[in-house]
Every structure is written in structure tokens, then in C-alpha cells.
């Protein structure tokens, strides 16, 4: 008996098949091999075509089936993880009306700030736990204001994972965690936010049917089953944003437990049992996968837009011929501190933890006679680790005090240099696990379909593969202090913000 997990990432689609009995991944792959383009029609904009997600997901599943490592007919449930906050809009025929405005798009910042003031800052934070910011609701408001002919055709709005579930089953559903990440959910009233819907002028029938996150959201239809070699009627029994799902994949389910990921974006995600919020909305609180009326578990999320994207840019500019493993080995040959070179990795849209400011990515302190590309690659990894530390300190201000952080051995955490630098800069030990987002989605499907009796039962065989403790903390504290001073200076200049804060 097997479970299929689909992870709709920004760079590619990753799929995994998990054996129910062992809870282990038996096969995994991604499609395409190269990193998917983000369309940037204007500075600060970021879009992708949902049809490409579906085409790539189909190709990934067929590619995995061809491995011969399992019988596709023995897959009993499907789970989906997806890049958070993206807006997908479809008409009554379930046809996509425009490209998805994805998570790192900054065009709706001004609309979110206006809503924050109009609804009332205190009311937003107490009920929504966040400023409307440039989340999904504000993205929809931008479409309403700037593309009225498209807005008029919208039958349903959804997040990226909802769209893939729709293509598999023909059903469109949502959940409380999904609505909370779009900033549609009123936590105090346990309902859609009347204040937000009224402010933006949204009709409630735009919102899909609300179902529990762990539930049957539809069954694979006959046509799709035949095309993908699956059995007709397989339930899609789990859908979650990538960061709550990453936490699930690491068995981060209880209050006080913390997860981290460093893919295209970087995230620290901690579980809380209270409706907490950051007064400046620099970190965000959403309903966790285990949220319920009786257990209001929330996920406190710190996001850095430019982590893997910063490393990808450096690779493309300075070593396009090298693989990431070779790049990591090269970076490790540079000395600690990268000979004074510093990197601010904030070049992928306005950063919420920087109060929605956009400094742009910056390489600082370059000495043309001293620095080589290995110094640049190490400085990028050190700069990303420093950005994590900056965000973690904000989380600490808001009551999150992790004694250990769990992470999957994937993306930047595949680099031994980055993993140890992360630990040294943050001062918090890290446990590394094999699971990734697609495996977590598969296990989530097992929970939602009842194959596992509860979430805890899905992780009875999980093991730590590596434990890292901080070393040489004084040296890294000095590096961080230097890096932070440069960031403070860049924020004071604020020279890149204007164009990204203007509603089109």
C-alpha cells in the first residue's frame, strides 16, 4: 500500500511515493530538471502559469511511475503541498483566467496597508493575526481594481494546491488553514472575515467549500486516472501550504516545536497554542495543520524571500557550469567570514520581516584583488544564515524560544557548510531528517484518508540522521553584528521601496 505526495514548488514540481508500512520514501523525482521561470513583467511582480504546474505534475508522476519501484495501482491516497499565498482564479468552466500572482509578488503591498488602516490595525491583528499585507486577499483586490474584466468572470478563487486538486478530481475546496494563509479567516469569530470581505468588496461565493484539512477533498476522476496510470477514485485527502506541510513532514505538531526550511525562500516555523501576533506583522501567524476549534494550534512563520533564489542567482552569474554539490565544496574552501565579504539576500520582493521593505540583494565589501568566487559563494551562505538569525530574533521577541530546530536534509541544508553556519549563527542546535515536502504530503494523505489513525501515527519510524551543535559562536556573533549593521544602513536608505509600494 502506497501514498503519493505532490509538492508544487516555485522552482519545480516534486513527487514522492511512500510505503505505508515503513513510512519511508520508495521513489521520488522532480520535473522539470531545470528551475521554472518566475515571470516578472514589472519590478516587484512575480507570476507563474497554473497550467504549467499541472503539466509538470503530470510529467513528474509519469516519470516516477516509470521507475518500476512500485505499482501505481497500489497508491491509495494523494496529498498535496504547495507554495503558499498564490492566487489562482477560474471561471465556471474551471478555466484559469490569468497567471497566478505568486507568494513573492509585491504589487499589492499598498492595498494591504490601506486595508490595515481602514479595518483598524488592532482589529486586524486580533482577528486576522496579521496585516492583510500582500497576501492572497490583497492580490485578489489588485485584480479587482486593475483587471475588472477578469474579476467579473471569476467563479472561484483558490491557492496553488487547490488548483492541482481540482485538476485531479474536478472538485474545488478549501480549508481553515488555507483561508488563514490568504488572510481571509477571522480567528476570533471562527469564520470568514466579514471585515476584510466587506472592505475589499468580495462576494462570499468566490470562496470554495470549506472542508477539514485532513479530509477527502475529491476523488481522482476516470480520465486523469487513465492518463496517469492510477486507480480511479483515489482520494485527495490532504492539502497544505508548503511551510505547515514542511513542519508536518518533520513531526512538528506540538506547541513549542520548530522547523526550518531553506528552498527558494527560507522559513522558520514554530507551533503555538495561542492566537499570538507580531504587532509589526514582521512574522505571520496562520492556522497549523492540527488547528481545530478545540485545539487552536497556530504556526508562527518567519519568511525570507531570497534564500535559494539568492544562491541560484550567484550560481548563474559566477559558476553556471558547476553543480550545487560542487558549488558547496568550493564555498567550503573559503575562510570563515568570507574575507570580509557580506551579502544581503533580499532581492526577491518586499520582505515582511523588514516591514515590507525591499533593499535589493547586495554584495558588500568586494575587494577586486582579494575575493574569488568561492568567497562569494560562502558569503551568500553566511548572508542567508544571518538573515535567518535576524528573523529568529524577531520570533524570540514574540515568545518563540526554540531549544532545537528540525530541518529536512534538502535544498540548502544539503550543504554541510550552510547547515553548520546556520547553527553557529543562530546558536540553536539542528536535527536533520530525510523527509521533504513531497514525503510530508504523502504522509498527510495517509492521515486524511484514515490509513493512519492520527498525525502521530504517521511518524512512528522517523529518525534523526544528523545532529548539529553550535561551535565557534564568538566568531559568528561578530560576523552577524557586522552583517546586521550593514542591513540597518540599507534599511535607512530605503531607496528601492517606492516602485514596489505603488498600487498599479
Amino acid at each position: 500500500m502506497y501514498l503519493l505526495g505532490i509538492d508544487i514548488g516555485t522552482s519545480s514540481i516534486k513527487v514522492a511515493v511512500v510505503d505505508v508500512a515503513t513510512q519511508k520514501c520508495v521513489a521520488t523525482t522532480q520535473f522539470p530538471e531545470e528551475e521554472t521561470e518566475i515571470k516578472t513583467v514589472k519590478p516587484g511582480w512575480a507570476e507563474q502559469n497554473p497550467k504549467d504546474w499541472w503539466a509538470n505534475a503530470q510529467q513528474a508522476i509519469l516519470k516516477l511511475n516509470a521507475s518500476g519501484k512500485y505499482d501505481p495501482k497500489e497508491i491509495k491516497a494523494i496529498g498535496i503541498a504547495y507554495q503558499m499565498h498564490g492566487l489562482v482564479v477560474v471561471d465556471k468552466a474551471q478555466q484559469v483566467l490569468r497567471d497566478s500572482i505568486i507568494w513573492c509578488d509585491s504589487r499589492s503591498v499598498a492595498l494591504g496597508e490601506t486595508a490595515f488602516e481602514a479595518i483598524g490595525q488592532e482589529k486586524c491583528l486580533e482577528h486576522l493575526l496579521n496585516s492583510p499585507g500582500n497576501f492572497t486577499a490583497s492580490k485578489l483586490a489588485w485584480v479587482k481594481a486593475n483587471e475588472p474584466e477578469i474579476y467579473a468572470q471569476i467563479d472561484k478563487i483558490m491557492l496553488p494546491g487547490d488548483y492541482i486538486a481540482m485538476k485531479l478530481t474536478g472538485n474545488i475546496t478549501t480549508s481553515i488553514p488555507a483561508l488563514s494563509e490568504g488572510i481571509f479567516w477571522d480567528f476570533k469569530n471562527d469564520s470568514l472575515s466579514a471585515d476584510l470581505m466587506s472592505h475589499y468588496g468580495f462576494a462570499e461565493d468566490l470562496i470554495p467549500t470549506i472542508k477539514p484539512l485532513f479530509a477527502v477533498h475529491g476523488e481522482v476522476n476516470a480520465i486523469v486516472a487513465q492518463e496517469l496510470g492510477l486507480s480511479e477514485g483515489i482520494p485527495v485527502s490532504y492539502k497544505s501550504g508548503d511551510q505547515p506541510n514542511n513542519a508536518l513532514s518533520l513531526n512538528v505538531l506540538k506547541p513549542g516545536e520548530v522547523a526550518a526550511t531553506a528552498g527558494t525562500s527560507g522559513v522558520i516555523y514554530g507551533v503555538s497554542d495561542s492566537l499570538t501576533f507580531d504587532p509589526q506583522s514582521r512574522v505571520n501567524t496562520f492556522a497549523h495543520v492540527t488547528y481545530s476549534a478545540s485545539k487552536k494550534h497556530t504556526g508562527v512563520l518567519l519568511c525570507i524571500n531570497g534564500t535559494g533564489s539568492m544562491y541560484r542567482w550567484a550560481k548563474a552569474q559566477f559558476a553556471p557550469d558547476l553543480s550545487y554539490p560542487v558549488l558547496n565544496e568550493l564555498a567550503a574552501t573559503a575562510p570563515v567570514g568570507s574575507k570580509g565579504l557580506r551579502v544581503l539576500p533580499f532581492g526577491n520582493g518586499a520582505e515582511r520581516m523588514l516591514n515590507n521593505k525591499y533593499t535589493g540583494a547586495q554584495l558588500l565589501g568586494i575587494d577586486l584583488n582579494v575575493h574569488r568566487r568561492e568567497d562569494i559563494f560562502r558569503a551568500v551562505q553566511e548572508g542567508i544564515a544571518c538573515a535567518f538569525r535576524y528573523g529568529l530574533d524577531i520570533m524570540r521577541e514574540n515568545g518563540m524560544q526554540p531549544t532545537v530546530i528540525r530541518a529536512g536534509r534538502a535544498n540548502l541544508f544539503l550543504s554541510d557548510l550552510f547547515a553548520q553556519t546556520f547553527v553557529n549563527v543562530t546558536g540553536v542546535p539542528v536535527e536533520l531528517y530525510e523527509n521533504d515536502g513531497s514525503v510530508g504530503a504523502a504522509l498527510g494523505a495517509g492521515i486524511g484518508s484514515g490509513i493512519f489513525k492520527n498525525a502521530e501515527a504517521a511518524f512512528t519510524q522517523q529518525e534523526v540522521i544528523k545532529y548539529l551543535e553550535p561551535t565557534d559562536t564568538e566568531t559568528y556573533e561578530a560576523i552577524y553584528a557586522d552583517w546586521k549593521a550593514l542591513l540597518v544602513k540599507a534599511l535607512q536608505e530605503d531607496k528601492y521601496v517606492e516602485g514596489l509600494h505603488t498600487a498599479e
Side-chain angles (χ1 to χ4, degrees), residues 163-198:
Y163 172 76
I164 298 301
M166 180 196 80
K167 297 300 291 184
L168 285 164
T169 70
N171 286 0
I172 304 176
T173 67
T174 188
S175 66
I176 290 174
L179 291 170
S180 77
E181 74 171 79
I183 318 299
F184 290 101
W185 193 251
D186 185 325
F187 284 88
K188 281 287 186 73
N189 295 325
D190 267 333
S191 66
L192 276 176
S193 170
D195 292 317
L196 182 132
M197 299 294 282
S198 174

Side-chain angles (χ1 to χ4, degrees), residues 150-429:
I150 291 177
Y151 185 83
Q153 300 175 62
I154 298 174
D155 179 58
K156 289 291 183 285
I157 67 165
M158 61 187 97
L159 295 163
D162 302 326
Y163 172 76
I164 298 301
M166 180 196 80
K167 297 300 291 184
L168 285 164
T169 70
N171 286 0
I172 304 176
T173 67
T174 188
S175 66
I176 290 174
L179 291 170
S180 77
E181 74 171 79
I183 318 299
F184 290 101
W185 193 251
D186 185 325
F187 284 88
K188 281 287 186 73
N189 295 325
D190 267 333
S191 66
L192 276 176
S193 170
D195 292 317
L196 182 132
M197 299 294 282
S198 174
H199 172 78
Y200 281 142
F202 298 154
E204 286 196 13
D205 61 8
L206 293 175
I207 305 297
T209 301
I210 303 172
K211 301 199 71 171
L213 184 141
F214 294 108
V216 175
H217 292 267
E219 297 176 343
V220 175
N221 64 48
I223 294 173
V224 171
Q226 183 175 9
E227 290 175 345
L228 297 180
L230 304 174
S231 299
E232 182 182 352
I234 299 172
V236 174
S237 50
Y238 170 82
K239 295 186 298 181
S240 173
D242 52 10
Q243 300 311 325
N245 175 73
N246 180 65
L248 172 79
S249 74
L250 297 168
N251 196 21
V252 172
L253 302 171
K254 299 175 183 176
E257 295 177 335
V258 177
T261 183
T264 301
S265 63
V267 168
I268 298 177
Y269 184 99
V271 180
S272 174
D273 57 2
S274 61
L275 300 181
T276 59
F277 57 84
D278 174 42
Q280 298 182 50
S281 210
R282 296 164 298 172
V283 298
N284 301 107
T285 304
F286 308 114
H288 190 37
V289 295
T290 52
Y291 181 92
S292 68
S294 59
K295 291 185 178 179
K296 296 197 173 183
H297 288 178
T298 57
V300 181
L301 186 154
L302 176 282
C303 181
I304 307 158
N305 292 351
T307 51
S309 56
M310 181 75 219
Y311 204 42
R312 176 181 62 187
W313 179 87
K315 177 184 183 299
Q317 305 312 312
F318 304 110
D321 55 321
L322 299 183
S323 67
Y324 282 111
V326 172
L327 211 68
N328 293 334
E329 291 175 4
L330 188 61
T333 66
V336 174
S338 309
K339 302 174 189 171
L341 190 62
R342 299 286 178 260
V343 171
L344 301 182
F346 303 121
N348 195 25
E351 296 281 357
R352 291 193 294 277
M353 77 171 187
L354 303 181
N355 299 106
N356 279 325
K357 292 184 178 180
Y358 181 60
T359 65
Q362 300 184 27
L363 278 71
L364 301 161
I366 298 174
D367 187 321
L368 301 179
N369 299 310
V370 171
H371 291 119
R372 303 290 181 263
R373 63 179 182 173
E374 57 265 31
D375 302 311
I376 293 174
F377 299 137
R378 181 167 192 134
V380 169
Q381 294 199 23
E382 289 178 343
I384 293 167
C386 287
F388 271 108
R389 163 66 185 277
Y390 186 88
L392 181 58
D393 285 349
I394 295 173
M395 295 184 75
R396 286 167 170 150
E397 289 176 28
N398 286 274
M400 193 65 63
Q401 302 291 337
T403 56
V404 66
I405 293 174
R406 298 176 188 169
R409 190 160 175 76
N411 302 311
L412 275 169
F413 279 105
L414 287 169
S415 166
D416 292 336
L417 171 64
F418 174 78
Q420 189 63 56
T421 301
F422 176 96
V423 171
N424 293 348
V425 172
T426 61
V428 182

Side-chain angles (χ1 to χ4, degrees), residues 44-47 101-109 134 139 348:
W45 289 26
E47 299 183 357
I101 304 175
I102 65 171
W103 58 277
C104 55
D105 187 285
S106 302
R107 77 186 71 178
S108 60
V109 169
N134 60 328
K139 290 174 168 64
N348 195 25

